[in-house]
Amino acid sequence: MTVSPHALDVAVALTPVGEHQFTGHTHPAYGNMVGPFGGTIAATLLNGVLSHPERLGDPVSLTVHYAAPITDGAFEVHARPMRTNRSTQHWLVELRQSGGVAAFATSLTALRRDTWSATDAVFPQVTPADQLPRTTSLFRTAWPMAYDMRFADGEQPLGSVERDDALTRVWIRDEPPRPLDFLSLSAICDAFFPRIFVRRPRIVPAGTVTLTIYFHADAALLSAQGSAHVLGCARGLRYSQGFHDQTAEVWSPRGELLAVGHQVVYFKE
Amino acid sequence: MTVSPHALDVAVALTPVGEHQFTGHTHPAYGNMVGPFGGTIAATLLNGVLSHPERLGDPVSLTVHYAAPITDGAFEVHARPMRTNRSTQHWLVELRQSGGVAAFATSLTALRRDTWSATDAVFPQVTPADQLPRTTSLFRTAWPMAYDMRFADGEQPLGSVERDDALTRVWIRDEPPRPLDFLSLSAICDAFFPRIFVRRPRIVPAGTVTLTIYFHADAALLSAQGSAHVLGCARGLRYSQGFHDQTAEVWSPRGELLAVGHQVVYFKE
C-alpha cells in the first residue's frame, strides 16, 4: 500500500543542500491570489529551524516578514542560530528566490519545563464544530480549500458588509485531516482573512506583511489534538494609513490556548 | 546656555563607524537588575534603522529578540535593509558585544498614506493622569525612575498578591519629560512589568525574551502628543512551561491607539 504524503507536508518540505541551507518548492494546493499562501511560507520558514541539526527545543515564537512577492516554484531556505544559550535559542531564517530575500523569519526555541501555569485569556463558548456546516463562502483561491472551516460567528462573504468590528470565531482543521503539529499550527495562524475584508463592504488589495506567533502548546499537547478542529478567534485593533493589525487566539476544543498570532496587514485605500 | 540632552537620547545614541555599522553605550539611568532596561535596547535597535542613510519611511513594526544578557558598557549595532520595495522596507539589526549577538531586531518601515481608518480596540475610561499620584511602589532598579507612572488601576507592589488576571492601566511619560517619538514610544512598550509579577504573590526570575511592537501613529501624531502621559493597558494571555505572553495597548489621552506591544516573558518556577 502506498500512502501519499499530505499536501502540507509536501508544501513545507525542505531538502538539505549544505550547512544551514535547504531547497523547497511551493505547492498548488496552497496557492493564493499571487504566489503561495503566507501560512505555508510561515510553516516552511519554521521548518528551516525544526529541520536544522543544531536546533534546541520547541518553538516558542516565530516572526515572519513577507518581504516581497513569492513566485510559485523553487526557493532556497537559509537557517542559522543567531545565539544558543543553555535552554533557549534564537534563529534567523531566510527564504530566497532569484538571488533576493523574499521572506525571512526570526524564531525563539526553548527546552520547556513544567512550571506554574494559568490562562487569563477567556475560552469562548461557541457552537461545537460538529454542529456547524463547513463553509463554502470562501475567497476564490486554492488555499482555503485546504482547510475545513466552520464559522461559529462572523461568517459572511468577504467584503460584503459594513461591520463595527471584525470579530470572527471559526473552527478550522486541515482538509484532508492531518495531525496537528507546529507546522500546521503555524499555517493556521495565518488562515484568518485580513480583517479589513470582514470590516468593510468592499474588497481592496490587502495582504499580510508581518506575522508573529507565540506557541503556548508543546509537542505533546499538539499531538494530543489529533486532527480535530481548533477554534480561531480573530479580531482587528486599528486600521490607518495603509496598515492594520489583527490578533488571533487559537484554542483546542477543550479550552487550551495553543497559540496566539499577531499580524500587520497592508491595505490600499 | 547649555542644554543637556535627555538621558534617553544619550542611551539610544549611535555613532556611525562604517557602512551599516554604529557604536553605542548603555546609560546608568536605564539600568535594570542585570544590564540595561530592554525598552532602551529596543529603542536603540530601532535607532539603527532610523539613523541609517537608506531608510525608507516610518516604523510600522519592530520585533526584538533579547538573545543574551547585555553588559553595561559599549556595544556595536549593525543595521541593514533585507529588502527594499517601492513603499516598504524590511530590516535586520544586530546588537553585538564581545563578538557575539546579544540582541537583534527586525523591522518594517513604510511610506504611509492616508486611507480609510478605524479603531476596533476600545479606549478605556479611566481617571486622567493629572488626578492620579506618581507611583512610588516600583521595583528597586534604576529604569522605572526614568518614567512618571500613574496607575489608574492594577497598582500594587510587584509579587505581592494573588490575582485572577494581570490587567494594569497606567499613565506613563518620560521623567524628566521628553517629546514623544518612535524611540521613546518603543521603550515605553517594554515598560509594563512582566505580568507574572502582577499575577502571583511572589517574585521569580523573569524577563522579556522577545517583543513585537506595531506602530499605529505616524511621526506627526506622535509629535502632537508633546510630553503628555500616554495610557498603557497591559494584560497577560497564558503562562506555562517557563514562558508567558502579554499584550499592551498604548493610547493617547484623546483616545488614539498609538501602538500595540506583544511580548514573551521567560519565568522560572
Side-chain angles (χ1 to χ4, degrees):
Chain A
M1 188 180 90
T2 303
V3 178
S4 299
H6 193 283
L8 182 67
D9 292 299
V10 179
V12 306
L14 294 176
T15 304
V17 292
E19 194 189 4
H20 307 309
Q21 281 192 299
F22 305 86
T23 56
H25 200 285
T26 63
H27 190 292
Y30 294 91
N32 205 350
M33 301 289 277
V34 177
F37 167 48
T40 44
I41 295 303
T44 300
L45 289 162
L46 182 62
N47 204 20
V49 175
L50 299 181
S51 305
H52 198 289
E54 295 170 31
R55 192 244 311 178
L56 181 74
D58 280 344
V60 176
S61 81
L62 177 72
T63 293
V64 180
H65 281 252
Y66 299 95
I70 296 171
T71 308
D72 285 318
F75 51 77
E76 294 163 40
V77 167
H78 181 104
R80 67 185 170 96
M82 296 282 276
R83 183 92 189 199
T84 301
N85 301 309
R86 202 176 42 178
S87 65
T88 60
Q89 199 171 41
H90 297 261
W91 290 85
L92 176 67
V93 190
E94 299 174 38
L95 186 152
R96 298 176 186 160
Q97 261 187 342
S98 309
V101 176
F104 60 99
T106 62
S107 181
L108 168 69
T109 59
L111 297 171
R112 304 192 73 158
R113 298 186 183 90
D114 279 342
T115 58
W116 176 82
S117 71
T119 304
D120 290 357
V122 178
F123 179 55
Q125 295 304 311
V126 300
T127 307
D130 62 7
Q131 295 172 35
L132 292 166
R134 183 180 177 194
T135 190
T136 56
S137 66
L138 294 172
F139 227 119
R140 286 182 189 81
T141 60
W143 74 263
M145 305 307 159
Y147 291 97
D148 181 307
M149 298 189 195
R150 300 169 186 226
F151 285 81
D153 49 53
E155 179 172 13
Q156 64 208 25
L158 298 174
S160 64
V161 295
E162 176 93 41
R163 284 179 52 180
D164 290 337
D165 66 43
L167 182 66
T168 295
R169 293 180 176 126
V170 57
W171 293 100
I172 183 169
R173 66 159 170 76
D174 291 301
E175 175 56 41
R178 176 187 176 281
L180 191 66
D181 60 13
F182 287 109
L183 297 172
S184 58
L185 180 57
S186 300
I188 284 172
C189 283
D190 194 39
F192 309 104
F193 295 104
R195 297 296 93 188
I196 192 99
F197 297 157
V198 177
R199 191 67 162 71
R200 297 181 72 194
R202 58 188 299 201
I203 294 286
V204 294
T208 305
V209 196
T210 178
L211 165 69
T212 287
I213 300 168
Y214 297 150
F215 299 98
H216 290 295
D218 63 5
L221 180 58
L222 293 183
S223 174
Q225 307 305 317
S227 58
H229 286 84
V230 295
L231 179 65
C233 303
R235 64 190 178 88
L237 281 83
R238 175 155 171 79
Y239 317 73
S240 77
Q241 295 183 306
F243 296 91
H244 74 78
D245 58 343
Q246 64 188 59
T247 288
E249 298 168 358
V250 179
W251 297 88
S252 80
R254 297 200 305 179
E256 295 143 329
L257 186 59
L258 302 175
V260 180
H262 307 286
Q263 63 177 262
V264 171
V265 175
Y266 153 85
F267 68 94
K268 200 167 177 179
E269 299 172 33
Chain B
M1 189 181 93
T2 305
V3 178
S4 299
H6 194 284
L8 181 67
D9 292 299
V10 179
V12 306
L14 294 175
T15 304
V17 291
E19 194 187 4
H20 307 309
Q21 282 191 298
F22 305 86
T23 56
H25 200 287
T26 62
H27 189 293
Y30 294 92
N32 205 349
M33 301 291 276
V34 177
F37 167 47
T40 45
I41 295 303
T44 300
L45 289 162
L46 182 62
N47 204 22
V49 174
L50 299 182
S51 305
H52 198 289
E54 295 170 31
R55 192 245 310 179
L56 181 73
D58 280 344
V60 176
S61 80
L62 176 73
T63 292
V64 180
H65 281 251
Y66 299 95
I70 296 171
T71 308
D72 285 317
F75 51 76
E76 293 163 40
V77 167
H78 181 104
R80 67 186 169 95
M82 296 282 276
R83 183 91 189 201
T84 301
N85 301 309
R86 202 176 44 177
S87 65
T88 59
Q89 199 170 41
H90 297 262
W91 291 86
L92 177 66
V93 190
E94 297 174 39
L95 187 151
R96 297 177 187 158
Q97 261 186 342
S98 310
V101 175
F104 60 100
T106 63
S107 180
L108 168 69
T109 59
L111 297 171
R112 302 193 74 158
R113 298 187 184 88
D114 280 342
T115 58
W116 176 81
S117 71
T119 305
D120 290 358
V122 178
F123 179 56
Q125 296 303 310
V126 299
T127 307
D130 61 7
Q131 295 171 33
L132 291 165
R134 183 180 177 193
T135 191
T136 55
S137 66
L138 295 171
F139 226 117
R140 286 182 189 81
T141 60
W143 75 262
M145 305 307 160
Y147 291 98
D148 180 307
M149 298 189 194
R150 300 168 185 227
F151 286 80
D153 51 52
E155 180 173 11
Q156 66 208 25
L158 298 173
S160 64
V161 295
E162 176 93 41
R163 284 180 53 181
D164 289 337
D165 65 44
L167 181 66
T168 295
R169 294 181 176 125
V170 56
W171 293 100
I172 183 169
R173 66 159 169 77
D174 291 300
E175 175 56 41
R178 177 186 176 282
L180 192 67
D181 59 14
F182 287 108
L183 298 171
S184 58
L185 181 57
S186 300
I188 284 172
C189 283
D190 194 38
F192 309 105
F193 296 104
R195 297 296 93 189
I196 192 100
F197 297 157
V198 177
R199 191 68 163 69
R200 296 180 73 194
R202 58 188 298 202
I203 294 286
V204 293
T208 305
V209 194
T210 177
L211 165 69
T212 287
I213 301 169
Y214 297 150
F215 299 98
H216 290 293
D218 63 4
L221 180 57
L222 294 183
S223 175
Q225 306 306 317
S227 58
H229 287 84
V230 294
L231 179 66
C233 303
R235 64 190 178 89
L237 282 82
R238 176 155 171 79
Y239 317 73
S240 78
Q241 294 182 305
F243 296 91
H244 74 78
D245 58 344
Q246 63 186 61
T247 287
E249 299 169 358
V250 180
W251 297 87
S252 80
R254 297 199 306 181
E256 295 143 328
L257 187 59
L258 302 175
V260 180
H262 307 286
Q263 62 178 264
V264 170
V265 175
Y266 153 85
F267 68 93
K268 199 167 177 179
E269 300 172 33

